[in-house]
Structure formats: C-alpha cells, structure tokens
Amino acid sequence: MKDSINLNVLRVAAFSDGATGGNPAGVVLGDTLPSDFEMQRLAQEVGYSETVFAAPQGDAWRVRYFSPEEEVAFCGHATIALGNALTAREGGGLFQLDLNSGRISVETKNDGSATLTSPPTHSAEADPDLVAAALALFGLKTADLDPALPPAQANAGNNHLILALRDRQRLAAMSYDLAEGAQLMRAHDLTTISLLWAETPRRFHSRNAFAIGGVAEDPATGAAAAALSGYLRDIGWPHEGEIDIVQGEDMGARSLLKAQFGATPGEGIRVSGTTRIIEPDTPKADGQATSPVTVLAPIKLAEGKTEADLLAASAVFQRDFVAHEPGILRRELVRKPDGTYLDIVQFRSHEDYQDVVKKEMESPVCAMFFSVMDLSDFDPDAEMDVYISLETH
C-alpha cells in the first residue's frame, strides 16, 4: 500500500492475546499533524477501524483519530497502539495526550504493554425506542437480554449502547446489516453498539458493532470497555474495582482487555492491554526483494443479491479477514460497465497470494462474502490471472 504523502505508518495490534489477536490500528507520528483531508484520506488507505495521528505540542502530544469514514472523538485501541509507538521513540513512561475534547494519558512499559486513562464517564438508561430498534437490527428479542444488566447508553469520550445478553450462543450469532446499523448509530450519535455476555461478575465477553466507521465489528474496543466500566460503577455492579473483557473470539482475533476503576463517579477508567507490531513487508531469505502481484477477481452477483448486499459483505470481508493478512497490500472493489464487478487485490508476493487463497477456502468470513456471488462458473482448481508489478508511481 502506498500511503498518502509518504507518511510513515506504523501498524500495531492493540489488546493482543500474546502474539496473536488484537485490534489493528495505524499510527502516524510527526512534527505536526497533517491536514484534515490528508488524515481522512490516509485512514481510508490504511483501512483499519482507526488510524491515530500524534504530534508534540507543549508538554503533551496532540492526538486525533480517524476511521475510514470520519473523525472519531476517542479510540481506546488506537491509544494503546500509540503508546507502543511513543515507547519506541521515547522509551516507556507516562504520556499526556490532548484530544479534541480534553486531556487523557497513556502509560507504557518497554515490554509492549500500555494503560490508558479514559475521559470522564457517565451513563443513563437507554431510550426504549432505541433499544427496540437495536434489537430489531440484530434480530434479537427482549427475552434475549440479561435483566441483571439493563440496556444503557454509556460514555467515556463517546457514546456506546450497551446490550447484555442472557447466553453466549446469542452473542456468537451476532449479525446485522451494515448500512442499517450505520443509519441507526448516526441517528442516535452512537460510536458502537456493544453486545455483552457476563461469564462472571468480573469477566465479560463482548462484540462491538462499529458500522458508523464503515466497520462491521471491532475485535477490541478500549473506549467501549471504559464506557462499560463507568456504567457498572454507576449501577453498583459487584466489580471489586476491575473487570476483564474477552473480545474478538468469534472473529478469530481473540483480544484481552483489563479495566480498573475506583469508586468515584465519573472518574476516568484505566484500560490495559498488550500490543504487537504488525510486521512490514520482508525480503526473501536470499536477500532479493519479492515482486508484488495483482489479481483481478471477477464478481457476478447471485440471483436476488444487490450491490448494497455486495458492499455490506465486502466491508465485513475487509475488516474481519483482509485487514489481518499482511500479505495483502491493497484491495479495491470496482463496478464494470456491464454491471459486473472486479475485486482488484495486490499481494506482497505470489506465495502470499497462494497462502491467502488457501485461508479463504477455510474462513467463514470469506464464505459469507462469497455467498452474495454467483459461483456457478467458478473452478476452485484454476488459478486466476496474476500480474507481476514492474513499477509503482
């Protein structure tokens, strides 16, 4: 991928489970922040749910977050990823961060772990009409909700709708229409809709819909973890000062978050996790650079499927599969004049292309993407035309 105006983008997975999982974020450190246009364009090119931009300002760092669709007031996993980048540059320590809405901090260690302190929290009972609309969006019923944790709107820098479910199976079955989700979230100023299952009073499993950012689901959401923690504190939940959250399991990107908080209402929440670097492209063992290859994959819609169906499935495919494959450098979905489509995918090497194809055949995320296509003429044993890159301008 060729990033806008040649800015150096560090790619970091935050809240990882050891050497796997976590939520990828782009991190850009500079002497000054790029223009709003450049930050938005770069966030779109990076393709992660958020890219964070930071530049030194006085005794702190000026920080802004962008999803592929729009600027976000606060992002927890990108803050943890930023902590990793600042540690590599400055060494571990406490970093003050000035957001659009105020100052927070991230404290880091040289082992890749980091702890953010969120903006102040507040929560309230969720509007019944919003809850009804959200249940309909996910195909849920009131009986699916856990009465011990009533639906709530919680805030720790931005707004989250919290819906606690009675059982783990309903959480695992989460699905929804991306466009409808974005419309609902925009209408109610929501950053995510957080579906939860309480395994114990101090251990939660979570799935977070982020349709407003153009992303079906995040594998780890620090801002939502902080908002949930503030809500639990407000209702007197038996948290004993901390909770653990497992997120991303159902996406194949298991992530671990720990939230710690005192008894003072509204006080910021400490959210901790580990990070791992998403490795850049590497040369072959013999020292010769690999040549990127591009594949043009034709797509014909299945009967009854629309372009909107294709775009929704493509968004999930991009977020839940492509973004986790370092061998994929760039992807673009285009419409041809005859009404069919092309998925144009650039791979780091021909070997990466072959490796990704094998993974696609075993991935339920890819199966969902393929379900909107007419595959009657598809030959799984035939390799598509592969074009070797000669120059990139």
Side-chain angles (χ1 to χ4, degrees):
M1 182 184 295
K2 206 174 188 182
D3 297 318
S4 307
I5 61 175
N6 298 317
L7 288 171
N8 181 35
V9 181
L10 180 66
R11 291 166 170 80
V12 181
F15 301 116
S16 57
D17 180 11
T20 62
N23 194 1
V27 182
V28 178
L29 298 180
D31 294 331
T32 60
L33 293 181
S35 68
D36 288 9
F37 175 82
E38 289 295 340
M39 287 190 284
Q40 185 64 74
R41 186 169 72 168
L42 184 54
Q44 291 172 346
E45 290 181 0
V46 171
Y48 294 153
S49 58
E50 271 96 5
T51 295
V52 57
F53 300 84
Q57 179 176 278
D59 63 346
W61 289 79
R62 179 68 174 99
V63 175
R64 294 176 69 180
Y65 310 91
F66 283 79
S67 79
E69 295 293 328
E70 59 187 28
E71 186 171 7
V72 177
F74 168 61
C75 174
H77 84 273
T79 301
I80 295 293
L82 173 60
N84 179 293
L86 291 174
T87 299
R89 173 170 165 156
E90 308 283 343
L94 180 64
F95 300 95
Q96 302 297 327
L97 311 178
D98 286 334
L99 313 186
N100 289 349
S101 57
R103 177 168 288 193
I104 64 168
S105 65
V106 62
E107 187 173 3
T108 70
K109 298 180 181 179
N110 292 322
D111 63 1
S113 64
T115 300
L116 67 84
T117 299
S118 78
T121 70
H122 58 86
S123 66
E125 180 182 348
D127 179 84
D129 291 339
L130 170 58
V131 173
L135 291 176
L137 175 69
F138 293 104
L140 296 169
K141 299 178 180 178
T142 302
D144 293 316
L145 297 175
D146 183 349
L149 276 172
Q153 286 183 256
N155 185 293
N158 37 36
N159 292 319
H160 306 266
L161 175 63
I162 295 175
L163 299 175
L165 305 182
R166 285 180 179 271
D167 63 67
R168 181 70 178 84
Q169 290 71 31
R170 293 300 291 160
L171 182 68
M174 186 192 91
S175 65
Y176 71 101
D177 182 273
L178 188 69
E180 290 182 12
Q183 183 178 9
L184 176 66
M185 294 167 74
R186 191 165 285 113
H188 293 273
D189 190 28
L190 296 174
T191 298
T192 76
I193 298 176
S194 181
L195 301 186
L196 303 165
W197 175 68
E199 180 181 352
T200 73
R202 297 175 62 189
R203 182 177 173 86
F204 294 81
H205 294 255
S206 174
R207 302 188 71 173
N208 278 79
F210 185 41
I212 198 168
V215 175
E217 180 181 3
D218 262 344
T221 318
L228 168 65
S229 300
Y231 166 57
L232 296 177
R233 177 172 57 196
D234 290 345
I235 64 172
W237 183 263
H239 51 75
E240 298 181 31
E242 66 178 43
I243 61 170
D244 292 306
I245 299 172
V246 181
Q247 193 174 333
E249 272 187 324
D250 300 296
M251 303 171 60
R254 189 171 186 266
S255 306
L256 303 176
L257 305 88
K258 179 179 287 293
Q260 298 172 300
F261 42 103
T264 303
E267 188 176 59
I269 307 296
R270 289 171 57 83
V271 183
S272 304
T274 60
T275 59
R276 61 179 180 86
I277 299 295
I278 300 173
E279 295 295 336
D281 303 345
T282 56
K284 291 182 179 178
D286 60 9
Q288 298 298 314
T290 59
S291 295
V293 300
T294 299
V295 174
L296 307 181
I299 294 175
K300 181 181 178 183
L301 291 178
E303 184 176 355
K305 297 296 183 180
T306 66
E307 184 172 296
D309 296 324
L310 175 63
L311 290 172
S314 175
V316 176
F317 173 62
Q318 177 69 33
R319 182 63 188 87
D320 297 352
F321 181 81
V322 173
H324 298 278
E325 292 297 327
I328 299 178
L329 302 180
R330 181 176 181 272
R331 173 175 174 262
E332 184 175 4
L333 181 63
V334 301
R335 186 198 306 120
K336 297 170 63 178
D338 64 1
T340 60
Y341 303 85
L342 278 178
D343 213 5
I344 305 172
V345 186
Q346 186 180 53
F347 298 86
R348 184 171 51 190
S349 67
H350 190 271
E351 291 79 8
D352 284 302
Y353 159 63
Q354 293 176 317
D355 178 61
V356 169
V357 168
K358 290 179 183 177
K359 292 178 181 178
E360 285 180 336
M361 295 302 103
E362 302 172 354
S363 167
V365 173
C366 298
M368 185 195 74
F369 184 41
F370 299 152
S371 70
V372 303
M373 306 176 192
D374 180 353
L375 300 178
S376 57
D377 297 328
F378 175 65
D379 180 358
D381 297 321
E383 185 172 277
M384 297 180 183
D385 290 336
V386 177
Y387 302 88
I388 299 175
S389 295
L390 298 179
E391 284 188 310
T392 301
H393 299 283

